[in-house]
Amino acid sequence: MPQSIQTIFQEFIEKKTVLFKDRDALTSDFTPDTIPHRNKEINTVASILAPSLKGGKPSNIFIYGMTGTGKTLVTRYVGCELEKMSNKGTNPVKVIYINCKMKKIADTEYRLVAELSRILGQEVPITGLPTEHVYQTFFNVLDSNNWIVVVILDEIDALVNKMGDDFLYNFTRINQELKRAKVSIIGITNDLHFIDILDPRVKSSLSEEEILFSPYNALELQDILKQRAELGFKPGVISDEVIPKCAALAAQEHGDARRALDLLRVAGEIAERENDPKITEKHVDMALEKIDHDRIIESVKSLPKQTKALLWSIIELEEKGQKNMQTGDIYSVYEDVCKECALHPLTQRRISDLISELDMMGIINARIISLGRYGRTREINPNVSEKVKNKMKDILKSSLMI
Ligand SMILES: Nc1ncnc2c1ncn2[C@@H]1O[C@H](COP(=O)(O)OP(=O)(O)OP(=O)(O)O)[C@@H](O)[C@H]1O
Ligand SMILES: [Mg+2]
């Protein structure tokens, strides 16, 4: 091992953390003991699931709301409490949590049903059997116990993107095939338009009950942060203005508790790195910049090549001094860029859609301007700091080989 790496590790081990007591408590994977400001949602989910404790099949539930509003946390918490309660009684309830974004588990119908069987104690080969056979194995293992099974399909939109809604159609009708066991589904998404794209039959059976998780306001976020800060930081290391500021910044966007926690944790990390004895407003500002910077850079890295060529064209135009670009201006530069990097140019219509996508990601700003009786047009400008732009240019250059 090169000496420098050893030194880094050694210094890390020896360095005393001045500010953090338990950094993990400030990450979004941590599960807190209590969940402030979600009593109503917890009680609703619990009341819908309660009949399972007497052997009844609970209604399917569709849970939706913006990112970071506690959907996963609340659902897993109630699921866990339900299992605990059923262990004390005579009716066995099993709660299965699947994150549909997980690769190799929820990629195909086969893999998902095989995974469910495996969780219930029946291994199925990873490939090779006809799908009906895998379903049969799953039905058999379900029926071998008089289980009530609650399957939580988190990020269910990812599942439908991968498999279409046929799977959900079959899955919401699974009880017709079962003799003793019963299966309920909880689908969770932060895609607020997801339910509209489903086949109406799937939609009505999945959303027998619907629960909306609203964004948190700044005061609610402060309570959530206080609870985590007490666990995560040593006493007295946070200045008074820090928690209100993190909460206000996260509330300004869309009341996202994950973002509020990230701001607080990263502010702490920055203060610690700078050997400051206290976390202050200045560190929150720096955290905000760092998080946005990282988020944009990561999303630029994963853009398709065509969108990268488009973004490069916009940056080139801006560097030539053009402001308030229109789609037509960008398109002619884009055609040249395509020639340079041997890409087949997309139509102007398609480029216009990709411009909207970049706008939604916050990388550019596309403002619609009315031209009176000449209709409407868009004025497009990059929307990132110089620092982010330079980093973006490096990524685009190496990926497009320009
Ligand atoms: N009421 C709350 N009390 C304490 N922590 C919370 C609360 N709500 C959310 N959190 C925390 O915020 C983070 C995000 O919550 P969660 O993962 O449940 O959001 P989500 O609604 O599932 O978001 P997404 O749609 O992005 O999956 C987690 O770390 C969670 O612990
Ligand atoms: Mg979630």
Side-chain angles (χ1 to χ4, degrees):
M1 205 192 294
Q3 186 59 41
S4 60
I5 298 184
Q6 269 175 357
T7 321
I8 293 170
F9 289 159
Q10 194 57 37
E11 278 178 1
F12 187 85
I13 293 168
E14 283 164 14
K15 190 174 175 199
K16 292 206 174 52
T17 74
V18 190
L19 304 173
F20 287 99
K21 185 163 71 183
D22 174 12
R23 188 183 162 280
D24 287 349
L26 293 153
T27 62
S28 42
D29 298 333
F30 180 86
T31 308
D33 290 340
T34 55
I35 306 178
H37 303 296
R38 280 297 178 238
N39 273 346
K40 191 174 92 221
E41 291 76 4
I42 291 173
N43 292 345
T44 311
V45 178
S47 325
I48 299 169
L49 298 182
S52 59
L53 294 167
K54 285 189 178 172
K57 180 196 129 29
S59 301
N60 295 332
I61 315 177
F62 177 61
I63 293 180
Y64 63 108
M66 303 270 234
T67 183
T69 49
K71 302 179 297 294
T72 301
L73 178 65
V74 163
T75 314
R76 297 200 77 166
Y77 169 77
V78 177
C80 187
E81 293 298 310
L82 181 72
E83 268 193 351
K84 274 195 222 156
M85 192 61 127
S86 94
N87 289 338
K88 293 184 195 155
T90 47
N91 293 292
V93 181
K94 177 92 186 154
V95 180
I96 301 179
Y97 174 85
I98 303 274
N99 184 332
C100 302
K101 280 216 173 122
M102 289 268 283
K103 293 213 165 67
K104 299 217 166 110
I105 288 178
D107 288 348
T108 60
E109 190 165 7
Y110 185 111
R111 281 197 168 147
L112 182 56
V113 180
E115 173 69 7
L116 293 171
S117 295
R118 193 191 61 74
I119 293 172
L120 294 175
Q122 180 64 54
E123 291 288 340
V124 176
I126 306 171
T127 52
L129 300 175
T131 308
E132 295 86 81
H133 190 103
V134 187
Y135 263 108
Q136 201 51 56
T137 313
F138 179 50
F139 294 152
N140 292 345
V141 62
L142 278 166
D143 268 336
S144 62
N145 298 282
N146 58 341
W147 262 327
I148 308 283
V149 179
V150 178
V151 181
I152 304 172
L153 296 174
D154 201 353
E155 321 257 8
I156 192 170
D157 48 303
L159 183 108
V160 173
N161 282 339
K162 285 188 268 192
M163 310 181 199
D165 58 8
D166 281 357
F167 167 76
L168 277 184
Y169 182 81
N170 295 335
F171 209 66
T172 47
R173 275 153 187 76
I174 204 165
N175 291 297
Q176 296 164 5
E177 311 285 333
L178 297 171
K179 293 181 190 71
R180 298 167 64 203
K182 291 168 189 150
V183 176
S184 287
I185 303 166
I186 304 183
I188 308 178
T189 183
N190 57 26
D191 176 351
L192 303 184
H193 301 293
F194 167 76
I195 199 87
D196 303 330
I197 60 157
L198 290 181
D199 176 311
R201 291 168 302 173
V202 179
K203 179 176 165 179
S204 70
S205 39
L206 177 63
S207 57
E208 287 171 340
E209 299 276 358
E210 270 185 34
I211 307 175
L212 167 67
F213 278 55
S214 312
Y216 295 111
N217 65 32
L219 290 175
E220 291 169 337
L221 288 172
Q222 283 195 35
D223 288 338
I224 294 170
L225 289 180
K226 274 183 205 147
Q227 177 200 43
R228 299 285 262 269
E230 255 173 47
L231 299 169
F233 290 115
K234 295 188 175 161
V237 299
I238 313 178
S239 313
D240 290 347
E241 72 279 6
V242 165
I243 285 184
K245 177 148 186 169
C246 293
L249 285 170
Q252 258 169 29
E253 289 207 3
H254 54 258
D256 173 348
R258 186 181 296 113
R259 185 163 168 85
L261 278 167
D262 285 346
L263 277 168
L264 184 60
R265 187 191 64 256
V266 174
E269 285 165 356
I270 292 173
E272 183 129 316
R273 211 169 309 138
E274 305 219 319
N275 293 324
D276 283 331
K278 229 172 154 116
I279 307 165
T280 63
E281 212 168 336
K282 175 187 86 178
H283 300 118
V284 180
D285 288 331
M286 289 161 84
L288 181 69
E289 207 190 300
K290 179 175 184 326
I291 289 171
D292 284 350
H293 175 275
D294 291 356
R295 182 178 58 90
I296 290 184
I297 295 303
E298 278 316 303
S299 52
V300 169
K301 276 187 196 157
S302 58
L303 288 175
K305 210 161 180 188
Q306 287 284 359
T307 320
K308 281 186 177 143
L310 166 64
L311 186 56
W312 180 260
S313 316
I314 296 173
I315 294 176
E316 259 200 356
L317 258 182
E318 194 210 21
E319 298 206 324
K320 283 187 188 144
Q322 185 158 351
K323 294 203 167 54
N324 302 330
M325 306 160 202
Q326 301 199 349
T327 311
D329 310 329
I330 297 171
Y331 191 74
S332 40
V333 180
Y334 160 79
E335 283 184 308
D336 293 341
V337 171
C338 282
K339 266 191 213 134
E340 233 182 298
C341 52
L343 273 177
H344 186 70
L346 301 173
T347 61
Q348 184 156 338
R349 178 75 208 270
R350 186 73 194 103
I351 285 301
S352 179
D353 291 344
L354 295 183
I355 288 176
S356 306
E357 282 177 24
L358 288 175
D359 181 31
M360 281 197 329
M361 292 166 74
I363 298 175
I364 61 169
N365 190 352
R367 207 157 51 103
I368 294 178
I369 305 288
S370 164
L371 300 175
R373 62 196 175 89
Y374 297 106
R376 295 186 316 166
T377 184
R378 284 195 296 188
E379 280 184 359
I380 297 147
N381 289 292
N383 189 28
V384 291
S385 66
E386 270 311 292
K387 207 165 125 199
V388 175
K389 194 170 81 186
N390 288 332
K391 193 83 168 274
M392 234 157 65
K393 274 168 66 182
D394 292 342
I395 296 168
L396 295 174
K397 245 189 202 162
S398 73
S399 157
L400 295 168
M401 292 195 277
I402 281 179

